[in-house]
């Protein structure tokens, strides 16, 4: 084999040295690139993760309509001055018999229809100017119109069965009075400067038959404020959830309810009468109707949300005589002041009936037409809704007749001869 020349040795040494340098740079590159990559990724997540932390809560909360507001005017809540038998006065927000707290809520009572007969009655608080206690079971109501009526006890809203009247005086706390303590209650709108600490529960209830009603909600005939709590058991633990934190409640079964919170958390509660078939009923005070009472068996769900506009004391007029035109089966018409079923004569009074087990108390002032049907009556409201009511002498053949006091005197139309009543607005 021939030995390399001196020039070839130099060339080979240069190639070897160059290769070594390339190897060194490659080695440094292999070390440096991961190092730089790791440094970049050690710092970069701080910048990338931060927006995600900010966005997630907005996605959860945005779809749910707010129920609690930081500043609540309270102008839809009962407000007035209570005078007790010792002459002491308390002025503030009123919670009546635990389950009435807004002007749209209904006070249940009885009235004297004639000398021997008392009938179920009721009136929404917004029509009332004052209530004067007359005895253990009686009170005199003075309405905004100036009319006065004596009403008697029915259940617990009036009389010695009252479950307490709580009046919250801003800055002074709350006082709780029983019926025997009361002398008079004078109602008035709350001053703009006096904020309420509690907000009335409001929402849209849907029955299992698909009917929907929107208004102020009384749950289990007790809970009416967003600070009141829904009780139940979940995963072996007792839960007490303020209604202000609840987005919706759905009937899960006869013994449980599915509750969705405004935070997005969802759970099934059971074990108390708040969430099973021992629930005493859910009431909705619907401004354009009156009052609806729904049992647990007929309840499907309720979505809680703030009202589009609160129902104010100023929206009630104290009532007036019912006036309209009665059309008979034979086509005759009689126009004048109306006494329905021979005892409801004022627009603040209530027409009773039911649909599929759901009880209705419809304020006459919200009705535009009543038409007799084979099984009951079609009741058309001023807002266009039509109710197919039955199950009460107000709307079926138990009706005692319609009296019309017109220019030509008084005429009584029997139910068999009645066809339609067109009410004047």
């Amino acid at each position: 084999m021939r030995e390399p020349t001196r020039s070839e040795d130099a060339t080979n040494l240069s190639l070897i040295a160059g290769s070594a340098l390339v190897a060194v740079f490659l080695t440094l590159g292999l070390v440096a690139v991961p190092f730089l990559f790791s440094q970049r990724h050690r710092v970069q997540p701080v910048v990338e993760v931060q927006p995600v932390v900010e966005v997630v809560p907005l996605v959860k909360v945005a779809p749910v309509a707010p129920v609690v507001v930081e500043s609540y005017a309270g102008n839809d809540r009962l407000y007035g001055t209570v005078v007790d038998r010792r002459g002491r006065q308390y002025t503030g927000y009123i919670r009546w018999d635990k389950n009435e707290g807004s002007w749209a809520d209904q006070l249940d009572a009885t009235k004297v229809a004639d000398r021997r007969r008392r009938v179920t009655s009721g009136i929404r608080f917004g029509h009332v100017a004052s209530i004067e206690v007359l005895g253990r079971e009686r009170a005199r109501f003075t309405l905004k119109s100036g009319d006065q009526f004596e009403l008697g006890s029915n259940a617990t809203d009036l009389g010695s069965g009252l479950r307490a009247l709580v009046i919250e005086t801003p800055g002074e706390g709350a006082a709780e009075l029983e019926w025997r303590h009361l002398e008079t209650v004078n109602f008035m709108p709350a001053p703009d400067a006096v904020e309420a600490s509690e907000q009335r529960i409001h929402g849209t209830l849907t029955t299992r038959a698909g009917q929907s009603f929107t208004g102020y909600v009384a749950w289990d005939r007790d809970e009416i404020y967003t600070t009141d709590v829904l009780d139940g058991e979940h995963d072996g633990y007792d839960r007490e959830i303020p209604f202000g934190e609840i987005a919706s409640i759905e009937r899960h079964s006869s013994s449980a309810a599915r509750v969705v919170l405004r935070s997005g958390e969802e759970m099934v509660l059971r074990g108390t009468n708040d969430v099973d078939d021992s629930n005493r009923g859910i009431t909705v005070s619907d401004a354009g109707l009156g009052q609806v009472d729904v049992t647990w068996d007929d309840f499907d769900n309720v979505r809680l949300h703030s009202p589009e506009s609160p129902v104010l004391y100023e929206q009630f007029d104290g009532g007036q005589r019912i006036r309209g035109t009665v059309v008979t089966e034979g086509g005759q018409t009689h126009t004048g002041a109306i006494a329905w079923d021979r005892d409801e004569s004022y627009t603040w009074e209530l027409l009773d009936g039911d649909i599929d087990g759901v009880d209705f108390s419809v304020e006459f002032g919200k009705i535009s037409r009543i038409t007799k049907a084979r099984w009951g009556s079609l009741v058309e409201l001023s807002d266009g809704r039509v109710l197919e009511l039955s199950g009460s002498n107000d709307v079926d053949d138990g009706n005692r007749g319609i009296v019309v006091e017109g220019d030509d005197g008084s005429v009584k139309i029997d139910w068999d001869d009645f066809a339609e009543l067109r009410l004047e607005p």
Side-chain angles (χ1 to χ4, degrees):
M1 175 182 246
R2 183 177 66 83
E3 293 183 359
T5 65
R6 181 175 299 178
S7 62
E8 290 175 334
D9 284 339
T11 300
N12 290 335
L13 287 172
S14 297
L15 291 172
I16 292 170
S19 299
L21 286 172
V22 170
V24 169
F25 284 122
L26 288 173
T27 302
L28 289 173
L30 291 173
V31 173
V33 169
F35 174 78
L36 292 174
F37 185 84
S38 65
Q39 290 299 306
R40 181 165 59 90
H41 282 264
R42 187 178 66 182
V43 176
Q44 191 65 19
V46 175
V47 178
E48 294 179 352
V49 172
Q50 186 63 29
V52 176
V53 173
E54 293 177 353
V55 170
V56 170
L58 296 178
V59 173
K60 287 183 178 179
V61 173
V64 182
V67 175
V68 180
V69 293
E70 292 182 2
S71 178
Y72 172 53
N75 49 7
D76 54 357
R77 281 191 50 189
L78 298 183
Y79 188 91
T81 296
V82 177
V83 182
D84 69 15
R85 291 192 173 278
R86 296 182 179 180
R88 291 176 296 195
Q89 297 188 8
Y90 310 82
T91 299
Y93 290 101
I94 296 171
R95 180 172 187 156
W96 190 283
D97 190 45
K98 291 191 176 181
N99 62 347
E100 286 99 19
S102 71
W103 300 116
D105 289 338
Q106 177 180 308
L107 183 148
D108 298 318
T110 61
K111 68 174 184 177
V112 178
D114 52 44
R115 293 180 180 179
R116 295 173 296 177
R117 186 167 58 93
R118 298 188 72 88
V119 297
T120 300
S121 184
I123 186 169
R124 297 212 272 187
F125 279 92
H127 290 295
V128 183
S130 68
I131 300 174
E132 178 187 357
V133 174
L134 299 178
R136 284 177 51 84
E137 310 297 333
R138 298 181 301 119
R140 179 181 294 111
F141 284 66
T142 300
L143 307 188
K144 287 180 175 179
S145 61
D147 292 331
Q148 291 188 332
F149 299 91
E150 183 178 320
L151 297 178
S153 63
N154 176 27
T156 62
D157 275 354
L158 190 150
S160 58
L162 181 78
R163 293 178 295 176
L165 183 154
V166 178
I167 183 161
E168 174 196 345
T169 302
E172 298 181 18
E176 182 171 316
L177 292 86
E178 299 177 11
W179 183 258
R180 60 189 176 89
H181 299 143
L182 303 178
E183 184 72 30
T184 59
V185 181
N186 301 301
F187 294 104
M188 65 193 75
D192 293 337
V194 182
E195 293 183 358
S197 61
E198 299 172 308
Q199 185 173 356
R200 188 72 171 80
I201 300 172
H202 185 276
T204 298
L205 181 147
T206 302
T207 70
R208 297 179 75 183
Q211 308 159 31
S212 291
F213 309 98
T214 297
Y216 296 95
V217 177
W219 187 268
D220 188 33
R221 298 191 181 276
D222 268 344
E223 289 85 19
I224 63 170
Y225 293 137
T226 52
T227 52
D228 292 340
V229 298
L230 181 79
D231 298 311
E233 183 181 296
H234 174 64
D235 284 344
Y237 294 94
D238 292 334
R239 297 293 299 264
E240 294 185 351
I241 306 170
F243 274 85
E245 297 179 8
I246 297 174
S248 67
I249 306 170
E250 180 183 355
R251 183 185 187 276
H252 182 67
S253 69
S254 62
S255 59
R258 185 180 304 278
V259 179
V260 179
L261 304 186
R262 295 179 64 231
S263 66
E265 183 183 358
E266 185 174 330
M267 67 193 74
V268 174
L269 296 182
R270 60 185 77 244
T272 73
N273 66 336
D274 270 352
V275 291
D276 64 22
D277 57 8
S278 57
N279 186 299
R280 289 166 292 184
I282 302 101
T283 299
V284 180
S285 296
D286 185 318
L289 186 157
Q291 180 171 289
V292 180
D293 291 309
V294 182
T295 66
W296 186 258
D297 287 341
D298 296 307
F299 168 74
D300 184 75
N301 70 82
V302 63
R303 179 177 60 87
L304 301 182
H305 57 86
S306 298
E308 291 185 5
S309 58
V311 180
L312 308 178
Y313 188 54
E314 294 83 353
Q315 293 174 230
F316 297 85
D317 62 4
Q320 54 189 321
R321 283 299 304 272
I322 300 171
R323 296 190 61 85
T325 299
V326 174
V327 181
T328 69
E329 291 279 7
Q332 295 178 315
T333 60
H334 304 276
T335 300
I338 305 295
W340 183 264
D341 191 29
R342 295 174 60 186
D343 59 45
E344 284 95 10
S345 301
Y346 291 86
T347 55
W348 57 264
E349 297 194 81
L350 307 170
L351 177 112
D352 299 319
D354 71 71
I355 303 175
D356 296 328
V358 175
D359 292 329
F360 290 77
S361 297
V362 185
E363 187 176 294
F364 270 91
K366 302 301 180 182
I367 301 172
S368 62
R369 179 178 300 189
I370 303 172
T371 306
K372 185 174 69 176
R374 184 179 61 180
W375 34 260
S377 296
L378 291 175
V379 179
E380 184 175 339
L381 305 182
S382 300
D383 61 16
R385 286 181 288 177
V386 178
L387 308 174
E388 303 177 359
L389 297 181
S390 60
S392 161
N393 61 284
D394 273 348
V395 292
D396 62 21
D397 57 10
N399 189 297
R400 290 178 290 269
I402 301 94
V403 177
V404 183
E405 297 176 7
D407 295 337
D408 298 329
S410 179
V411 178
K412 177 179 176 293
I413 296 96
D414 292 330
W415 186 256
D416 288 342
D417 195 31
F418 168 76
E420 179 183 15
L421 168 62
R422 303 166 189 165
L423 289 156
E424 296 180 4

